[in-house]
């Protein structure tokens, strides 16, 4: 499995944990969109489906790699309205075997056709 560079992975973990702590202290009822995006990115980067597993996998990977200075994740800007952005992450799922299942990929199946490769 491909893994991001240790510096990028360390930056994602640190940003996630910092933002989680800030939101917890502030008493946020729901995670912010940025926290959700970081969680999703960590899951994709580590090949996991939930944040606890992603954090554990990231820490395990970082423990086995040489030290690299943390590189903060690049700031995000909102995508143009005609291009999908982070909000589409909620509709992306993995089918058994690790294949992506998106609404576009599943539509032919619902219509009785063949799945897209």
């Amino acid at each position: 499995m491909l893994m991001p560079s240790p510096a990028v992975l360390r930056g994602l973990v640190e940003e996630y944990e910092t933002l989680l702590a800030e939101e917890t202290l502030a008493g946020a009822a729901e995670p912010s969109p940025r926290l959700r995006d970081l969680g999703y990115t960590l899951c994709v980067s580590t090949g996991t489906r939930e944040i606890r597993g992603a954090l554990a996998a990231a820490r395990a990977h970082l423990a086995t790699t040489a030290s690299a200075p943390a590189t903060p994740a690049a700031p995000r800007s909102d995508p143009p309205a005609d291009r999908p952005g982070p909000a589409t992450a909620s509709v992306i799922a993995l089918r058994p075997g690790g294949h992506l299942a998106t609404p576009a990929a599943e539509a032919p199946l619902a219509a009785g056709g063949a799945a897209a490769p």
Side-chain angles (χ1 to χ4, degrees):
M1 176 176 75
L2 293 175
M3 289 291 279
S5 74
V8 170
L9 193 58
R10 186 174 290 109
L12 288 168
V13 169
E14 289 175 2
E15 187 178 353
Y16 179 87
E17 290 174 339
T18 299
L19 190 55
L20 178 63
E22 289 172 1
E23 291 185 16
T24 300
L25 285 174
E30 293 288 323
S32 67
R34 180 64 183 149
L35 188 63
R36 286 188 194 128
D37 287 346
L38 286 165
Y40 175 79
T41 302
L42 280 164
C43 286
V44 169
S45 298
T46 58
T48 60
R49 291 186 177 199
E50 57 96 30
I51 191 61
R52 287 184 187 149
L55 290 170
R59 289 183 187 116
H61 180 69
L62 291 171
T64 62
T65 58
S67 294
T71 301
R76 296 186 64 139
S77 61
D78 290 332
D82 64 335
R83 229 177 44 212
T88 59
S90 63
V91 297
I92 297 174
L94 292 178
R95 292 191 304 201
H99 301 291
L100 282 179
T102 62
E106 296 298 315
L109 294 175

